[in-house]
Amino acid sequence: LRVGAPDNGGNWPAEFTVSGLPASKGKYAYYEIFVLRHGKPGYPCAGFRVDGATTKVEFTVPYEVSGTTQWVVTSVNRTDRWPGRIVMT
């Protein structure tokens, strides 16, 4: 995960590259990136599907990002309630 400097509007650009996640199977299966809040997925950042070995996601967040900001990836499908199961921190 790489986070750039905020733009004039205060939005922080981010680039997330991941390898090794299982492919998204099913019409409603996807992954979601969150910032942790009180130890749980709190602020959603981006949703994405995996269909190859490496996936790259670019997104912006409107809140301040620091060196202590913690991120997680959840797996979401029809059987798991949103925000899904944490699969990566």
Side-chain angles (χ1 to χ4, degrees), residues 3-71:
V3 179
D7 62 19
N8 291 337
N11 297 303
W12 296 68
E15 181 181 289
F16 176 73
T17 304
V18 64
S19 298
L21 284 177
S24 302
K25 294 182 181 176
K27 184 176 180 180
Y28 301 101
Y30 66 99
Y31 294 94
E32 186 84 29
I33 302 169
F34 286 88
V35 169
L36 280 182
R37 183 167 187 227
H38 305 297
K40 297 180 181 179
Y43 297 123
C45 301
F48 63 97
R49 290 182 58 87
V50 171
D51 63 0
T54 302
T55 300
K56 179 178 172 182
V57 183
E58 295 178 356
F59 58 95
T60 60
V61 293
Y63 35 80
E64 184 176 348
V65 177
S66 72
T68 61
T69 301
Q70 294 179 313
W71 308 77

Side-chain angles (χ1 to χ4, degrees), residues 21 31-32 34 36 39-42 71-76 80-81 83-89:
L21 284 177
Y31 294 94
E32 186 84 29
F34 286 88
L36 280 182
K40 297 180 181 179
W71 308 77
V72 295
V73 175
T74 65
S75 174
V76 182
D80 293 326
R81 288 178 40 134
R85 294 176 296 107
I86 295 176
V87 296
M88 177 184 293
T89 57

